C-alpha cells in the first residue's frame, strides 16, 4: 500500500488533537468481553486500536470487559491474548473491568450522594412498561424520590447480598421524558448472585455495560475510546456520567461494524455452532474466528492487509469474503513452498525409462529468488491426476491423451502411447515414453509442449489427507436470512480427500505454508502427525475477486 494513503476519519481526529496540543500522546484500548473467541470483525477493531498507537505516540491497553459473570470464562481470556499476539500486536497493560468493581461501586455512591441515582424496587417488566416510547415520555418510578440516606442504605444492602436476583436495581436519575430513551433513568447496577471468573463470590451486584465501560475508560485515561456504531446513542450517557462524576474525560468515537458475507460474526451464534456440533470447535478451519483462520492457514500479514484494505467506515456494509481470500493468496504466493500432490490418482508407466530412479530438483518458490530447491525422486511409475488424462482428447486439451505430449513438472517431456481400463471402464494405467534429452533445465530436445503436469513417484509417494473447505453458509447475508440461521449451513463445507504427496512433505516444518501445484494453498492441520499428514486447504488458486476488479 502506498505511503500517501489518505487518513481515515479517526486518524483525522487524532492528528487534530495532537496538532492542537490537546494531547501529547494518545491511549486506546481493545475491550473484548471474554465470552467467546475473537472473530474477523474483532480483527478490524484490533488493527484499528493497536494500529493507531503504532502510528502515533501512545499505547493501547487490553481490557477485558468482564462485568457479566454468567457468560465469561478464563479459557476465552487466554484465547483472546493468544489471538492478539498472533496478529502481531502487544498491549501495554492487561486490565480487567472487574478490577474496578470497588471503584465503580464508589462512583455509584457518589452519584447517590449527589441525588443522581436511586434504588428502584420495580420489576424489570414494570421498568420496561414505564419507559415510554420514542414519541411518548416515560413515567417516573414510584421509588424515584427516595431520600439519599435510604438509597445509600439500600444500595449497601444490595451489595451485602440481602436481596434476591432481580428484586432491585440502581438507576441513574436523569429524565424520564428525555428524547434519548437511554437517558430515561438507565439501570446502573443489577443483583446477580453469580460466581465471577475472577472475583469469585465477592460481589453479587454487577455494573451494567453503560456504567462500567466509560468509567473504565476514564480510570485508564483512555483518550480515544473507539467502539462500533450501535453505541452512538450511548455516547450521551457516557458523557453525562463522566461529567457528573467529574472524572478523566475520555471520548467515545464510533465506526462501522465489519461483517463478512457467507458467515456470521456474532459470538452468540458462533457459540451455538460449537455447542451444537455443527463445527469441531471455535478453531474449526471453517469458522470466521481468528483461531479458525489461523488453523486453516491464514497468515497474520494477510488478515492485517485485509483490515487495512477495508479501512474504517462510518456506515455498515457487507464485506466480500473474496477480498479476504484475495489478501491471503497475495501473501501466500510470496511465501508458500511449492509441492506436488496428486488426488484421484491413475498410474503413469514410462516404458523406456530404464534408470530405475533418479533425484530431480524443483524450485520451492518461483516468486522467491532465494527460495532454493528441493529433491524430488523420479521413477518409471508415477501417479498423475485422473483429470489430467483424456481418452479422446478434445481440440484444445493440452494435457495427456493418446499421442499427446506434455512436460512433467521439473522432469521430462513424455508422450502417451496407450492406456488400460478396468472391467467397469475406468482408466487404470497410462503408458508413455519419455524423451531423455528434454530434462528440465537442460532441455535440448527442441520439443514444444503446452501442458505441464504435476506428478508423484509411486514408490516414493506419501499418503496424505487434504481437507477441502467451502463456505460454512450457503446464503450471502446470513444474519438477515429468514428463520434460523442454522438452516443455511452448507452441508458440503468440508470434504476430506486422500492424496499422494511427494516425500519432501514429511520433513517439512509443521508451520510451513504450501502451494500444492494447481490445487491451492495448504497448511498442516493441528491434528497432523508425521505418520498421518493432514492438510487444510486455506484457499484455492482461483482468484475470482481479482478478475472481478478488472472488469
Ligand atoms: P459479538 O456480537 O461478536 O459478541 P461484541 O461487540 O459484543 O461482538 P466485544 O467482545 O464486546 O464483542 O467486542 C470487542 C471490541 O471489538 C468492541 O470494541 C467491538 O466494538 C469490536 N467489534 C466486535 N465485533 C466487531 C465487528 N464485527 N467489526 C468491528 N469491530 C467489532
Ligand atoms: Mg459485547
Amino acid at each position: 500500500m502506498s505511503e500517501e494513503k489518505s487518513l481515515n476519519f479517526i486518524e483525522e481526529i487524532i492528528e487534530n488533537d495532537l496538532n492542537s496540543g490537546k494531547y501529547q500522546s494518545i491511549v486506546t484500548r481493545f475491550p473484548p468481553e471474554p465470552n467467546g473467541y475473537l472473530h474477523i470483525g474483532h480483527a478490524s477493531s484490533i488493527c484499528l486500536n493497536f494500529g493507531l498507537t503504532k502510528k502515533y505516540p501512545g499505547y493501547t491497553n487490553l481490557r477485558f470487559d468482564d462485568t457479566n459473570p454468567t457468560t465469561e470464562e478464563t479459557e476465552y481470556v487466554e484465547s483472546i491474548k493468544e489471538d492478539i499476539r498472533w496478529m502481531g500486536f502487544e498491549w501495554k497493560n492487561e486490565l480487567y473491568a472487574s478490577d474496578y468493581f470497588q471503584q465503580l461501586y464508589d462512583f455509584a455512591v457518589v452519584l447517590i450522594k449527589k441525588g443522581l441515582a436511586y434504588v428502584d424496587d420495580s420489576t424489570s417488566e414494570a421498568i420496561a412498561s414505564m419507559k415510554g416510547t420514542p414519541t411518548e415520555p416515560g413515567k417516573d418510578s414510584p421509588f424515584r424520590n427516595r431520600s439519599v440516606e435510604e438509597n445509600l442504605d439500600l444500595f449497601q444492602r444490595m451489595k451485602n447480598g440481602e436481596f434476591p436476583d432481580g428484586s432491585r436495581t440502581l438507576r441513574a436519575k436523569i429524565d424520564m421524558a428525555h428524547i434519548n430513551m437511554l437517558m430515561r433513568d438507565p439501570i446502573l447496577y443489577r443483583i446477580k448472585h453469580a460466581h465471577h471468573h475472577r472475583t469469585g463470590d465477592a460481589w453479587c451486584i454487577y455494573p451494567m455495560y453503560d456504567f462500567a465501560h466509560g468509567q473504565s475508560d476514564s480510570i485508564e485515561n483512555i483518550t480515544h475510546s473507539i467502539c462500533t456504531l450501535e453505541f452512538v446513542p450511548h455516547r450521551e450517557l457516557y458523557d453525562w456520567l463522566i461529567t457528573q462524576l467529574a472524572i478523566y474525560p475520555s471520548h467515545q468515537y464510533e465506526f462501522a461494524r465489519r461483517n463478512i458475507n457467507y458467515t456470521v460474526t456474532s459470538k452468540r451464534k458462533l457459540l451455538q455452532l460449537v455447542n451444537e456440533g455443527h463445527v469441531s470447535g471455535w478453531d474449526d478451519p471453517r469458522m470466521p474466528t481468528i483461531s479458525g483462520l489461523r488453523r486453516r492457514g491464514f497468515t497474520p500479514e494477510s488478515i492485517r492487509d485485509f483490515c487495512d484494505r477495508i479501512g474504517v467506515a462510518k456506515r455498515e456494509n457487507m464485506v466480500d469474503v473474496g477480498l479476504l481470500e484475495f489478501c491471503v493468496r497475495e501473501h501466500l504466493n510470496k511465501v508458500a513452498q511449492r509441492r506436488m500432490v496428486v488426488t484421484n490418482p491413475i498410474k503413469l508407466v514410462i516404458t523406456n525409462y530404464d534408470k530405475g530412479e533418479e533425484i530431480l530438483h524443483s524450485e520451492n518458490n518461483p516468486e522467491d529468488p532465494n527460495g532454493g530447491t528441493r529433491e524430488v525422486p523420479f521413477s518409471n511409475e508415477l501417479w498423475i491426476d485422473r483429470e489430467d488424462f483424456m481418452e479422446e482428447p478434445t481440440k484444445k486439451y493440452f494435457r495427456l491423451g493418446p499421442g499427446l505430449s506434455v512436460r512433467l513438472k521439473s522432469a521430462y517431456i513424455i508422450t502417451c502411447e496407450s492406456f488400460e481400463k478396468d472391467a467397469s471402464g475406468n482408466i487404470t494405467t497410462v503408458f508413455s515414453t519419455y524423451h531423455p534429452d528434454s530434462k528440465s533445465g537442460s532441455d535440448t530436445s527442441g520439443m514444444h509442449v503446452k501442458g505441464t503436469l504435476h506428478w508423484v513417484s509411486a514408490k516414493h509417494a506419501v499418503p496424505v489427507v487434504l481437507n477441502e473447505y467451502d463456505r460454512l453458509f450457503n446464503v450471502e447475508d446470513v444474519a438477515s436470512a429468514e428463520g434460523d440461521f442454522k438452516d443455511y449451513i452448507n452441508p458440503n463445507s468440508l470434504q476430506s480427500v486422500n492424496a499422494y504427496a511427494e516425500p519432501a512433505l514429511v520433513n517439512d516444518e509443521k508451520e510451513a505454508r504450501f502451494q500444492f501445484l494447481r490445487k491451492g494453498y495448504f497448511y498442516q492441520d493441528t491434528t497432523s502427525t508425521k505418520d498421518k499428514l493432514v492438510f487444510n486447504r486455506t484457499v484455492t488458486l482461483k482468484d475470482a475477486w481479482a478478475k472481478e476488479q478488472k472488469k
Side-chain angles (χ1 to χ4, degrees):
M1 295 237 111
S2 87
E3 295 293 314
E4 303 292 315
K5 226 180 101 186
S6 61
L7 300 179
N8 67 48
F9 76 96
I10 292 179
E11 290 170 332
E12 267 175 26
I13 291 167
I14 289 174
E15 292 208 355
N16 281 336
D17 287 347
L18 291 171
N19 291 338
S20 73
K22 183 174 177 188
Y23 301 114
Q24 306 303 314
S25 63
I26 60 166
V27 186
T28 61
R29 86 287 172 264
F30 174 64
E33 185 178 350
N35 62 347
Y37 281 58
L38 297 180
H39 53 62
I40 185 72
H42 293 117
S44 280
S45 178
I46 291 170
C47 288
L48 177 59
N49 280 298
F50 286 92
L52 286 170
T53 55
K54 273 197 170 174
K55 181 164 179 183
Y56 302 108
Y59 61 84
T60 301
N61 286 342
L62 169 59
R63 183 202 314 141
F64 290 100
D65 213 339
D66 60 347
T67 54
N68 182 2
T70 47
T71 53
E72 294 155 3
E73 288 175 30
T74 310
E75 174 197 346
Y76 297 137
V77 168
E78 294 308 316
S79 76
I80 288 169
K81 291 200 283 186
E82 183 184 359
D83 289 350
I84 298 171
R85 288 208 170 103
W86 179 76
M87 291 263 306
F89 298 108
E90 190 61 51
W91 49 91
K92 166 99 171 189
N93 304 299
E94 176 184 334
L95 303 163
Y96 294 80
S98 57
D99 286 347
Y100 309 139
F101 279 165
Q102 183 61 46
Q103 199 161 351
L104 294 172
Y105 179 85
D106 295 342
F107 284 154
V109 168
V110 170
L111 289 180
I112 294 174
K113 286 186 177 161
K114 287 181 83 173
L116 294 173
Y118 60 98
V119 172
D120 194 338
D121 301 359
S122 309
T123 61
S124 56
E125 294 76 27
I127 290 177
S129 74
M130 290 185 284
K131 195 105 220 211
T133 68
T135 49
E136 281 171 62
K139 290 197 193 69
D140 285 1
S141 160
F143 304 97
R144 194 173 200 260
N145 292 317
R146 276 178 159 150
S147 67
V148 168
E149 289 66 35
E150 190 181 5
N151 281 320
L152 286 173
D153 175 59
L154 285 170
F155 188 51
Q156 180 158 34
R157 289 167 60 194
M158 278 170 65
K159 172 182 185 254
N160 292 346
E162 290 185 30
F163 308 122
D165 286 7
S167 61
R168 285 182 167 83
T169 54
L170 182 75
R171 297 178 69 181
K173 192 169 176 179
I174 306 179
D175 179 1
M176 287 306 292
H178 204 287
I179 192 154
N180 179 349
M181 300 269 291
L182 285 167
M183 297 294 278
R184 295 182 186 175
D185 292 9
I187 296 173
L188 305 180
Y189 269 91
R190 72 216 141 141
I191 303 173
K192 231 181 198 185
H193 291 267
H195 191 81
H196 185 277
H197 78 123
R198 295 188 89 239
T199 57
D201 299 312
W203 293 86
C204 64
I205 57 169
Y206 290 96
M208 303 297 287
Y209 172 88
D210 283 319
F211 192 62
H213 202 93
Q215 285 40 257
S216 302
D217 285 342
S218 181
I219 290 167
E220 295 172 19
N221 287 7
I222 302 298
T223 56
H224 298 79
S225 171
I226 301 162
C227 60
T228 43
L229 285 181
E230 68 271 24
F231 291 99
V232 168
H234 296 250
R235 195 194 319 130
E236 199 168 9
L237 179 54
Y238 183 106
D239 292 341
W240 186 88
L241 286 166
I242 282 179
T243 306
Q244 299 305 332
L245 291 167
I247 52 180
Y248 181 84
S250 298
H251 290 280
Q252 174 184 301
Y253 302 91
E254 308 87 9
F255 78 112
R257 203 167 254 276
R258 291 312 199 166
N259 300 313
I260 291 197
N261 59 6
Y262 296 103
T263 193
V264 290
T265 42
S266 143
K267 282 181 280 188
R268 192 177 49 78
K269 288 181 181 160
L270 295 172
L271 180 63
Q272 276 185 61
L273 294 177
V274 173
N275 283 346
E276 296 172 23
H278 299 287
V279 293
S280 64
W282 283 99
D283 70 343
D284 186 298
R286 291 165 293 183
M287 291 280 270
T289 51
I290 294 178
S291 53
L293 293 166
R294 172 168 64 235
R295 181 168 168 193
R296 178 141 163 186
F298 281 76
T299 56
E301 290 87 341
S302 63
I303 297 178
R304 291 199 304 262
D305 181 28
F306 170 73
C307 293
D308 199 31
R309 284 171 192 259
I310 59 177
V312 180
K314 282 185 179 168
R315 228 187 289 158
E316 296 233 350
N317 70 334
M318 182 85 84
V319 182
D320 188 355
V321 63
L323 177 60
L324 180 60
E325 293 171 350
F326 169 83
C327 292
V328 76
R329 273 190 203 102
E330 284 262 297
H331 185 226
L332 290 178
N333 183 41
K334 292 187 202 121
V335 300
Q337 308 278 299
R338 272 54 170 177
R339 296 289 181 266
M340 294 194 283
V341 172
V342 172
T343 48
N344 203 0
I346 53 175
K347 188 65 78 64
L348 174 77
V349 174
I350 306 174
T351 53
N352 63 338
Y353 185 81
D354 45 23
K355 281 195 261 184
E357 60 183 77
E358 72 186 291
I359 299 293
L360 301 176
H361 295 269
S362 191
E363 60 187 336
N364 283 323
N365 186 345
E367 303 289 318
D368 177 4
N370 303 317
T373 60
R374 68 190 186 283
E375 295 187 340
V376 190
F378 182 83
S379 68
N380 61 348
E381 284 198 14
L382 311 175
W383 296 117
I384 60 168
D385 267 18
R386 187 168 299 273
E387 66 174 40
D388 285 342
F389 181 82
M390 210 180 241
E391 193 177 335
E392 289 170 33
T394 52
K395 213 163 172 212
K396 294 226 158 149
Y397 191 75
F398 298 128
R399 303 180 208 172
L400 212 49
L404 298 183
S405 299
V406 294
R407 169 166 298 285
L408 295 175
K409 174 75 185 167
S410 302
Y412 300 93
I413 293 175
I414 58 164
T415 302
C416 173
E417 310 292 346
S418 62
F419 60 90
E420 254 173 31
K421 288 185 185 180
D422 64 15
S424 18
N426 298 316
I427 310 279
T428 53
T429 314
V430 174
F431 297 95
S432 66
T433 50
Y434 89 117
H435 303 272
D437 53 356
S438 67
K439 189 169 175 176
S440 286
S442 55
D443 181 1
T444 55
S445 70
M447 294 178 75
H448 292 289
V449 293
K450 287 219 165 114
T452 301
L453 303 191
H454 59 279
W455 51 273
V456 174
S457 167
K459 75 171 168 198
H460 302 94
V462 178
V464 297
V465 175
L466 307 185
N467 289 330
E468 299 181 344
Y469 298 103
D470 197 354
R471 292 169 176 160
L472 190 49
F473 290 90
N474 46 33
V475 286
E476 186 166 0
D477 188 351
V478 187
S480 326
E482 228 170 272
D484 186 351
F485 77 102
K486 284 168 293 173
D487 295 344
Y488 300 97
I489 292 177
N490 173 8
N492 302 315
S493 57
L494 166 61
Q495 262 187 301
S496 288
V497 179
N498 291 313
Y500 287 127
E502 58 173 284
L505 280 176
V506 176
N507 295 318
D508 282 320
E509 281 171 38
K510 189 143 185 183
E511 290 72 34
R513 318 274 167 184
F514 296 107
Q515 184 193 105
F516 293 162
L517 295 184
R518 295 169 57 210
K519 303 211 172 291
Y521 292 101
F522 286 81
Y523 185 63
Q524 266 193 69
D525 188 54
T526 47
T527 62
S528 181
T529 63
K530 278 207 188 306
D531 297 327
K532 187 174 184 239
L533 290 169
V534 181
F535 292 90
N536 294 322
R537 187 172 69 197
T538 310
V539 66
T540 57
L541 295 176
K542 187 171 120 258
D543 196 346
W545 194 82
K547 272 189 211 132
E548 202 57 36
Q549 302 307 300
K550 284 194 198 112
K551 271 183 194 166

